[in-house]
């Protein structure tokens, strides 16, 4: 069930983080989340455990043991705390009743509307034996091989939490299952337990216990014949206590009680009648689903309701295994196997071929109850009830509530479980909707990231964020930045001699290379108009190295252009590059398709540097030269030239970066 996989995910996320879980699940090839009551293949859990061992670099037995400890805590947090605490008063009783807990849970899980036909809870089974030295042998049966190391984690955590004892568990036997039908894993653990008391505390405890015993003996000695006679005479007065004992300050001293003819006892000793005061007819009617059978499985007695459903049982002496098969625990139908698992709940299922014609098309009836060995009679008593989870199952078998004895809680269980299943179905629907919303939210987040990436490619991030929030973006003045313009030499002639698609392909090839370089050198691409490409350094985020960044970008442009083919001549295209440094005003223009634009004479001069440049050369203004001349660049003087609209200007050519290789300029490893 998804509950197990959800627990495993929670463990990894809680102890190792979301990134580790994401890496683990991707390697295992499983989804990110699981529905609690949904049935998933065992292979998913096995894959997750296997990948967890590899990703975390931890042996499988340690991973499973840690998972067992965490699974116990996860169950408590998930609402099973009180259910687990009430299983038994000690560790032996706790383990002994684990199968009963699984049986109860199967009522909900198997009857849940999201479990399809044939998918049933396949829980492990436990059997425990006490040893003379106080240790226990725990028998673990499972269809799933390789998960036995979870058991010490779960049992150890329960022992520490519920009973305040530390236990050690080691495997003493591991075989293919022989006692039960089918080839299943059978692991035998030796369980030794040690109370969690410090040395001093242990002595105090032992001393207190001894004092308790001595005190009780002293009290008995003080009870003389007069006290006993008084107890005898006043025994009938149920409203008054005749115990002269004052409660001990240890709070564990049991009061001495009077029973029968004044016999004083510290505990409970049942009283049995000399003969059974119930006739056979009343017994068979009062327990309508019981059966008694001997060592040869011959039926000696059966309740009236089970006789009604399985008429063959009216023939006393027939063999029980002809009409029933054992569903749980999966043991051979022999008296010795039943005696070995006598503390387990037994589930019988009717055999279809032995049922009356009217039952052939219905689901088979299942009975669940306990076995009780009657030594004097050498017979086994099976006290059971119909295993029915919902009213629907009752109707399928054409049975009625009246068929179940009024004292049998199965009547209430069916009605209560019906209501609980409706609540579970609602909970499951909410869980599925929650999962759908989570997936939609994840997809929405992915689409949001794509949209933001596209938006940030068109506008600076801080500007885009302000526009998203509905704020007005104020224009900003930048005292110094470096602007670059480039264009393709003889672009007009190329356009006249080529198909439009060839021009688009050529420009796209060139601009993809240039765009990558903007990321390498961290400069901002302002716009492209036709063959013109414009970038700026120091805007929108001012940086002192704006001129060096743009200069390195320009050198990369010249190199990158050599890889773009002229569609007319087939030779590499040539570009002209112009750079100028100065102040600008920057701001967003327009509401539809807003653009982040630069304004000022610096833009005009940078454009003039490009238009008055030389093919495959980087043309610098004097202000750009002043920023670069001490920055380890090789620069040659061009001299004074006439610049349209600006008159005479002293300009330079950027040749190379003396301290950077071509690979560094191009951003290659």
């Amino acid at each position: 069930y998804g509950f197990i996989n959800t627990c495993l995910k929670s463990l990894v996320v809680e102890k190792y983080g979301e990134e580790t879980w994401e890496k683990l699940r991707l390697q295992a090839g499983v989804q990110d989340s699981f529905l609690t009551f949904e049935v998933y293949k065992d292979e998913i859990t096995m894959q997750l455990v296997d990948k967890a061992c590899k990703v975390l670099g931890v042996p499988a037995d340690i991973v499973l043991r840690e998972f067992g400890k965490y699974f116990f805590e996860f169950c408590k947090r998930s609402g099973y705390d009180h259910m687990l605490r009430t299983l038994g008063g000690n560790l032996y009783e706790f383990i002994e009743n684990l199968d009963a807990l699984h049986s109860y849970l199967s009522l909900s899980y198997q009857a849940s509307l999201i479990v399809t036909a044939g998918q049933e809870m396949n829980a492990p089974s436990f059997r425990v034996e006490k040893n003379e030295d106080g240790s226990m042998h725990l028998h673990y049966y499972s269809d799933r091989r390789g998960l036995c190391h979870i058991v010490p984690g779960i049992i150890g955590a329960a022992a520490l939490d519920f009973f305040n004892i530390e236990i050690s568990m080691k495997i003493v036997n591991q075989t293919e299952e022989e006692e039960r039908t089918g080839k299943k894993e059978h692991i035998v653990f030796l369980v030794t337990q040690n109370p969690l008391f410090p040395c001093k505390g242990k002595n105090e405890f032992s001393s207190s216990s001894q004092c308790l015993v001595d005190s009780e003996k002293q009290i008995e000695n003080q009870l003389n014949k007069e006290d006993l006679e008084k107890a005898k005479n006043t025994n009938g007065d149920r409203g008054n206590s005749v115990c002269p004992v004052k409660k001990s300050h240890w709070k564990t001293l049991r009061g001495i009680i009077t029973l029968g003819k004044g016999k004083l006892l510290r505990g409970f000793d049942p009283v049995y009648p000399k003969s059974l005061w119930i006739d056979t007819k009343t017994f068979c009617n009062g327990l309508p689903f019981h059966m008694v059978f001997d060592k040869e499985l011959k039926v000696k007695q059966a309740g009236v309701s089970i006789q009604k459903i399985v008429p063959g049982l009216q023939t006393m002496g027939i063999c029980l295994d002809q009409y029933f098969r054992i569903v749980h625990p999966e043991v051979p139908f022999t008296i010795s196997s039943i005696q070995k698992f006598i503390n387990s709940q037994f589930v019988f299922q009717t055999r279809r071929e032995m049922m009356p014609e009217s039952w052939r098309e219905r689901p088979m009836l299942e009975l669940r109850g306990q076995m009780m060995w009657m030594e004097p009679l050498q017979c086994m008593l099976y006290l059971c009830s119909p295993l029915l989870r919902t009213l629907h199952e009752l109707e399928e078998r054409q049975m009625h509530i009246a068929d179940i004895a009024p004292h049998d809680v199965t009547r209430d269980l069916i009605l209560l479980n019906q209501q609980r299943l409706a609540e579970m179905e609602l909970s499951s629907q909410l869980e599925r909707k929650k999962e759908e919303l989570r997936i939609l939210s994840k997809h929405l987040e992915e689409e949001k990231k794509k949209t933001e990436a596209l938006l940030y490619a068109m506008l600076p991030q801080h500007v885009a964020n302000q526009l998203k929030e509905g704020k007005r973006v104020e224009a900003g003045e930048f005292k110094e930045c470096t602007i670059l313009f480039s264009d393709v030499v003889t672009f007009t002639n190329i356009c006249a001699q080529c198909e439009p698609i060839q021009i688009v392909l050529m420009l796209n090839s060139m601009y993809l290379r240039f765009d990558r370089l903007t990321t390498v050198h961290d400069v901002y691409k302002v716009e492209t108009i036709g063959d013109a490409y414009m970038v700026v350094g120091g805007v929108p985020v001012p940086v002192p190295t704006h001129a060096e960044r743009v200069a390195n970008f320009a050198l990369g442009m010249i190199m990158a252009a050599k890889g773009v083919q002229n569609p007319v001549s087939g030779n590499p295209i040539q570009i002209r590059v112009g750079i100028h440094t100065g102040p600008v005003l920057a701001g967003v223009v327009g509401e539809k398709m807003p653009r982040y634009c630069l304004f000022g004479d610096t833009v005009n001069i940078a454009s003039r540097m490009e238009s008055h440049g030389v093919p495959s050369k980087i043309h610098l203004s004097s202000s750009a030269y002043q920023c670069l001349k001490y920055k380890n660049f090789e620069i040659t003087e061009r001299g004074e030239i006439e610049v349209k609209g600006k008159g005479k200007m002293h300009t330079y050519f950027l040749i190379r970066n003396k301290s950077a290789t071509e690979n560094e300029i191009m951003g290659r490893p």
Side-chain angles (χ1 to χ4, degrees):
Y1 288 88
F3 185 80
I4 304 295
N5 296 332
T6 301
C7 174
L8 186 54
K9 174 186 175 181
S10 179
L11 168 64
V12 175
V13 170
E14 191 172 303
K15 292 200 171 185
Y16 302 100
E18 282 279 0
E19 291 181 1
T20 304
W21 164 252
E22 191 66 20
K23 181 180 178 182
L24 190 155
R25 79 165 191 87
L26 288 174
Q27 288 189 18
V30 302
Q31 62 266 45
D32 184 45
S33 59
F34 307 90
L35 300 178
T36 302
F37 298 106
E38 189 72 61
V39 178
Y40 296 91
K41 293 181 179 179
D42 288 344
E43 288 76 9
I44 292 178
T45 308
M46 300 298 186
Q47 277 283 340
L48 287 172
V49 172
D50 179 59
K51 297 304 177 186
C53 296
K54 293 178 180 177
V55 171
L56 302 176
V58 180
D61 58 332
I62 295 177
V63 169
L64 291 172
R65 188 181 288 264
E66 285 302 311
F67 175 66
K69 292 178 184 177
Y70 188 83
F71 182 70
F72 173 75
E73 294 298 329
F74 189 77
C75 288
K76 286 173 58 182
R77 294 204 304 260
S78 301
Y80 295 100
D81 185 24
H82 293 299
M83 192 181 296
L84 291 168
R85 285 183 185 277
T86 54
L87 280 185
N90 54 52
L91 184 60
Y92 176 84
E93 293 175 353
F94 176 85
I95 298 172
E96 196 175 45
N97 284 282
L98 282 176
D99 279 14
L101 174 63
H102 285 142
S103 178
Y104 164 74
L105 292 176
S106 70
L107 294 178
S108 300
Y109 278 77
Q110 288 177 221
S112 177
L113 297 178
I114 42 180
V115 177
T116 57
Q119 292 176 316
E120 298 185 350
M121 175 182 278
N122 187 12
S125 182
F126 299 89
R127 180 166 65 87
V128 63
E129 300 169 342
K130 285 183 178 178
N131 301 323
E132 291 182 359
D133 61 356
S135 63
M136 297 184 292
H137 277 111
L138 170 59
H139 296 258
Y140 164 78
Y141 305 90
S142 177
D143 282 337
R144 303 172 180 91
R145 291 181 177 83
L147 296 180
C148 62
H149 295 287
I150 293 177
V151 178
I154 296 175
I155 301 299
L160 188 61
D161 192 313
F162 293 161
F163 311 112
N164 196 37
I165 56 173
E166 275 186 345
I167 63 169
S168 60
M169 294 179 64
K170 65 177 182 179
I171 296 174
V172 293
N173 194 12
Q174 183 170 358
T175 60
E176 286 293 319
E177 174 57 15
E178 296 175 357
E179 293 172 342
R180 300 164 55 164
T181 56
K183 293 296 182 182
K184 302 186 178 185
E185 191 172 54
H186 176 199
I187 310 292
V188 182
F189 293 94
L190 176 64
V191 184
T192 55
Q193 46 185 310
N194 304 299
L196 278 181
F197 292 113
C199 292
K200 183 179 178 182
K202 283 185 179 180
N203 294 334
E204 289 175 356
F205 178 77
S206 301
S207 175
S208 298
S209 300
Q210 187 61 43
C211 289
L212 177 61
V213 173
D214 294 342
S215 177
E216 287 184 343
K217 287 182 179 179
Q218 187 179 359
I219 290 168
E220 281 190 58
N221 294 332
Q222 290 174 352
L223 290 172
N224 54 30
K225 293 181 180 179
E226 186 180 343
D227 295 325
L228 293 173
E229 187 63 31
K230 184 178 178 181
K232 178 180 178 182
N233 294 336
T234 58
N235 183 53
D237 186 3
R238 303 291 182 182
N240 299 319
S241 172
V242 296
C243 180
V245 182
K246 187 177 181 180
K247 276 196 173 180
S248 169
H249 65 278
W250 292 302
K251 297 183 181 179
T252 56
L253 184 59
R254 291 168 293 182
I256 300 177
I257 60 171
T258 60
L259 288 176
K261 295 183 178 180
K263 184 180 180 182
L264 294 168
L265 300 173
R266 291 190 186 87
F268 171 71
D269 190 9
V271 175
Y272 300 103
K274 291 181 179 180
S275 61
L276 190 62
W277 286 90
I278 184 171
D279 64 277
T280 307
K281 185 177 180 180
T282 302
F283 190 90
C284 290
N285 280 292
L287 297 172
F289 285 97
H290 83 279
M291 287 180 283
V292 177
F293 54 96
D294 62 14
K295 288 184 175 181
E296 286 73 38
L297 304 180
K298 291 181 179 179
V299 177
K300 300 296 184 182
Q301 182 177 310
V304 294
S305 292
I306 191 63
Q307 291 181 39
K308 178 181 175 183
I309 296 169
V310 187
L313 295 178
Q314 292 181 315
T315 306
M316 297 305 161
I318 60 103
C319 284
L320 192 63
D321 58 348
Q322 293 179 1
Y323 288 86
F324 293 93
R325 67 182 185 89
I326 301 178
V327 176
H328 179 84
E330 296 178 26
V331 295
F333 211 139
T334 62
I335 202 74
S336 59
S337 295
I338 293 172
Q339 285 177 324
K340 185 174 287 188
F341 287 83
I342 199 162
N343 290 325
S344 299
Q345 283 191 335
F346 277 77
V347 177
F348 280 12
Q349 186 183 69
T350 54
R351 294 186 182 275
R352 189 174 297 277
E353 65 273 12
M354 301 300 291
M355 295 296 286
E357 283 292 334
S358 59
W359 268 86
R360 295 290 174 87
E361 302 302 322
R362 305 180 204 169
M364 290 296 96
L365 176 67
E366 289 186 347
L367 302 172
R368 182 180 63 178
Q370 71 175 113
M371 295 288 181
M372 300 181 73
W373 177 245
M374 299 180 289
E375 186 65 30
L377 300 177
Q378 290 292 292
C379 287
M380 187 72 74
L381 170 63
Y382 182 38
L383 287 171
C384 57
S385 300
L387 180 55
L388 299 169
R389 306 174 184 91
T390 63
L391 292 173
H392 177 68
E393 291 185 4
L394 192 72
E395 291 173 343
E396 279 185 329
R397 290 155 181 80
Q398 296 184 17
M399 294 177 63
H400 304 87
I401 293 290
D403 294 325
I404 305 170
H407 63 78
D408 194 337
V409 294
T410 303
R411 297 163 68 113
D412 300 322
L413 184 62
I414 292 171
L415 297 173
L416 288 172
N417 207 39
Q418 186 74 22
Q419 179 183 355
R420 186 167 180 269
L421 288 175
E423 293 172 355
M424 282 176 58
E425 175 60 17
L426 181 60
S427 175
S428 296
Q429 288 179 3
L430 290 174
E431 194 175 5
R432 286 197 294 270
K433 292 296 180 185
K434 180 182 176 182
E435 178 62 13
E436 289 173 8
L437 285 173
R438 189 193 66 80
I439 293 172
L440 286 174
S441 177
K442 185 178 179 181
H443 290 164
L444 183 62
E445 188 64 28
E446 290 173 357
E447 294 302 318
K448 182 183 176 184
K449 287 180 180 178
K450 291 178 185 177
T451 304
E452 287 180 344
L454 182 61
L455 184 60
Y456 295 155
M458 299 170 63
L459 294 167
Q461 186 169 340
H462 75 281
V463 173
N465 290 337
Q466 285 181 299
L467 290 174
K468 281 198 300 182
E469 294 169 5
K471 297 179 181 178
R472 181 180 177 83
V473 182
E474 299 292 336
E477 184 177 354
F478 296 85
K479 293 184 177 180
E480 189 175 73
C481 67
T482 300
I483 298 175
L484 174 148
F485 277 94
S486 74
D487 73 345
V488 178
V489 178
T490 67
F491 181 70
T492 305
N493 296 335
I494 294 172
C495 290
Q497 299 176 50
C498 291
E499 294 294 328
I501 188 63
Q502 292 177 293
I503 303 299
V504 171
L505 293 174
M506 180 192 74
L507 291 177
N508 186 56
S509 175
M510 181 176 70
Y511 289 160
L512 285 175
R513 288 170 165 79
F514 293 173
D515 289 346
R516 191 184 68 82
L517 288 171
T518 61
T519 304
V520 172
H521 298 290
D522 198 15
V523 293
Y524 179 68
K525 175 184 174 182
V526 181
E527 63 180 348
T528 57
I529 303 174
D531 64 325
Y533 196 92
M534 178 183 178
V535 299
V536 61
V539 176
V541 180
V543 288
T545 58
H546 54 85
E548 297 98 295
R549 295 185 183 191
V550 173
N552 286 322
F553 174 77
L555 292 169
M557 291 179 82
I558 299 296
M559 298 174 190
K562 295 176 182 178
V564 181
Q565 195 177 51
N566 185 326
V568 176
S569 64
N571 298 322
I573 62 169
Q574 290 184 307
I575 61 171
R576 293 178 298 190
V577 180
I579 298 176
H580 176 62
T581 300
V584 295
L585 189 70
V588 177
V589 179
E591 291 183 352
K592 265 195 174 183
M593 293 183 66
R595 302 291 300 175
Y596 188 69
C597 299
L598 306 181
F599 303 94
D601 197 43
T602 301
V603 178
N604 296 329
I605 297 174
S607 179
R608 293 289 184 267
M609 291 297 101
E610 174 265 313
S611 60
H612 289 74
V614 176
S616 299
K617 293 283 187 178
I618 301 170
H619 197 195
L620 303 178
S621 67
S622 57
S623 61
Y625 167 73
Q626 293 299 322
C627 291
L628 296 172
K629 65 179 179 179
Y630 300 119
K631 303 296 183 181
N632 220 19
F633 287 94
E634 182 180 335
I635 301 172
T636 60
E637 185 177 356
R638 184 182 186 185
E640 281 193 352
I641 61 168
E642 186 70 29
V643 177
K644 183 180 178 182
K646 296 298 176 182
K648 292 186 181 294
M649 292 184 68
H650 206 84
T651 62
Y652 303 82
F653 287 124
L654 174 63
I655 307 301
R656 66 187 182 93
N657 185 327
K658 297 177 183 178
S659 60
T661 65
E662 181 176 326
N663 284 339
E664 289 174 333
I665 295 293
M666 295 301 293
R668 292 192 291 255

